[in-house]
Amino acid sequence: MKVQSGATPQIDRVLVTGGAGFIGSHTCDHLLGLGKAVLAVDDLSTGSPDNLAGARAHGNFAFREADVSDPGAVAGIFADFQPQAVVHLAALVSVPLAEAEPARNFRLNVAATGTVAEAARQSGCRRVVFASSAAVYGDSEDLPLAETATAEPISQYGAAKLMSERLLQAYALSYGIEATCFRFFNIYGPRQDPSSPYSGVVSIFAERYRAGQAVTVFGDGSQSRDFVYVGDVAETLSAAATRPRQTGGVYNLCTGQSTTLLDLLDVLKAEYPGVGEPAFGEERVGDIKHSLGDPSAARGAFGLDSHTPFREGIHELLASLEPS
Ligand code: NAD
Ligand code: UD2
């Protein structure tokens, strides 16, 4: 749904919440490459200063350790930095943790979005770009999922992301904030933390293959996902934050290409032929069999009509890992 139109002044200063995280740090790098001044805000709960090593080399970059659910801290940051756009990525990102701690999920994945939107409004920042999730679609089987599909989340996390989208759309309608919400599908690439059991499958499998360890596939490996390379995500978020023409609305951030876990294993086996065969275990409870998005709306709006091929993205990821 398009909610904005009109002209926007040149955007030179961008705030990135969750900037020390996986997607946030790549977004900072991309924005700096475009010559923008970037302030990353992060509480370092899951992110790491190491992710910002490249960004720190730029004179245009600054970092603030802060909690985005603290209205006073967020208002102060907006007042000091005076961003013209904010990319809001800070969140409780684990779906199972959000399920186990619904109050924390509400504070970080709903209330904090309101805190960021309100600080933007109060400081005169007109543009908000938000990280939503394909989790808003629940287990819809109407594939490929277009933005017009009914959003019926089946988790606390998905519900919170949908609430945040709606809140931002209301900020757009009521106060003229340009709000662009991206429903991320499965993002992968360098700097994604493989250490938790809830980490994305690509990061877990890549790290284990690199270390010479066999992986466990939950189910028969025929499940499929729409895997998006993080560099493409950073490019899209940066375009939404800085392009002169106004944006706004809700878009899938996906490739439209379906990849099974068996496809992923083929790429990894070719790179590490010495690693043992995978074990096949029980399907994960509540797992979605297939997830696939329709990228056409975002491509039309942002003019990004290609994506990094999966094999190429995996090679980038493997090249970024420490040799064992
Ligand atoms: P990440 O954990 O690497 O990044 C999140 C960052 O937010 C971390 O650096 C963390 O320290 C920070 N953070 C968390 N709570 C904070 C708080 N209260 N105040 C300040 N900073 C805080 O995860 P990511 O994969 O880079 O996720 C970025 C965004 O993308 C999140 O909003 C997530 O929900 C969304 N998303 C990611 C995926 C994916 O496949 N990775 C899919 C759908 C949506
Ligand atoms: C979840 C989230 C998605 C995003 C993603 C992180 C939902 C609906 N979606 O998607 O929004 O946050 O996580 O990338 O909650 N698997 C194995 N072995 C492993 C690990 C995973 O076989 O060691 C399987 C898993 O059972 C699933 C597939 O790999 O079938 C993908 O799992 P995932 O956790 O990477 O991502 P997904 O799609 O559950």
Side-chain angles (χ1 to χ4, degrees):
M1 180 176 68
K2 295 265 186 201
V3 290
Q4 285 295 316
S5 62
T8 309
Q10 161 103 9
I11 289 184
D12 298 314
R13 285 189 310 284
V14 184
L15 181 67
V16 180
T17 77
F22 162 50
I23 298 167
S25 61
H26 284 278
T27 305
C28 290
D29 291 344
H30 199 92
L31 287 163
L32 290 162
L34 295 175
K36 308 299 173 187
V38 175
L39 175 64
V41 174
D42 204 295
D43 70 352
L44 302 179
S45 52
T46 57
S48 163
D50 295 347
N51 290 336
L52 293 169
R56 264 194 232 93
H58 284 260
N60 270 348
F61 177 75
F63 175 76
R64 283 273 290 273
E65 185 171 341
D67 177 354
V68 290
S69 69
D70 175 345
V74 173
I77 288 166
F78 273 80
D80 290 349
F81 184 59
Q82 291 286 315
Q84 295 143 318
V86 53
V87 182
H88 179 44
L89 302 171
L92 178 59
V93 302
S94 161
V95 177
L97 256 186
E99 211 59 27
E101 298 186 46
R104 187 170 160 213
N105 173 59
F106 186 82
R107 179 167 63 82
L108 297 178
N109 291 345
V110 184
T113 309
T115 297
V116 168
E118 184 56 13
R121 180 173 85 96
Q122 295 289 349
S123 70
C125 170
R126 315 292 309 157
R127 193 175 275 195
V128 180
V129 179
F130 173 65
S132 184
S133 168
V136 301
Y137 293 115
D139 55 7
S140 170
E141 287 171 359
D142 193 10
L143 306 183
L145 288 159
E147 293 82 350
T148 47
T150 311
E152 280 185 24
I154 53 168
S155 63
Q156 295 291 318
Y157 174 85
K161 290 291 188 184
L162 186 59
M163 281 186 254
S164 281
E165 285 185 6
R166 296 280 155 83
L167 188 69
L168 290 170
Q169 288 176 299
Y171 264 80
L173 291 167
S174 303
Y175 311 117
I177 300 278
E178 283 177 66
T180 309
C181 303
F182 287 105
R183 294 174 173 173
F184 296 178
F185 281 66
N186 291 65
I187 320 299
Y188 73 97
R191 302 181 201 156
Q192 188 169 31
D193 180 7
S195 63
S196 136
Y198 311 123
S199 299
V201 68
V202 174
S203 64
I204 295 175
F205 280 15
E207 180 57 33
R208 288 191 70 86
Y209 266 84
R210 181 206 62 84
Q213 297 165 341
V215 300
T216 301
V217 177
F218 304 140
D220 64 6
S222 65
Q223 64 265 53
S224 63
R225 294 293 184 268
D226 188 327
F227 290 111
V228 191
Y229 185 63
V230 68
D232 298 341
V233 178
E235 186 181 353
T236 306
L237 296 176
S238 300
T242 63
R243 72 200 307 242
R245 197 152 57 79
Q246 283 205 342
T247 51
V250 175
Y251 299 97
N252 286 338
L253 217 170
C254 58
T255 67
Q257 301 285 311
S258 176
T259 302
T260 66
L261 289 199
L262 297 177
D263 296 331
L264 167 62
L265 290 170
D266 282 346
V267 181
L268 293 170
K269 280 181 191 166
E271 288 297 316
Y272 301 100
V275 175
E277 285 299 308
F280 288 85
E282 289 293 302
E283 266 180 35
R284 198 165 63 179
V285 177
D287 226 7
I288 291 170
K289 183 83 181 171
H290 300 292
S291 171
L292 182 66
D294 178 347
S296 38
R299 286 187 179 161
F302 299 96
L304 305 168
D305 53 5
S306 65
H307 64 268
T308 302
F310 185 65
R311 204 167 273 276
E312 196 179 313
I314 294 292
H315 283 131
E316 290 289 327
L317 167 59
L318 297 178
S320 75
L321 299 176
E322 299 283 317
S324 52

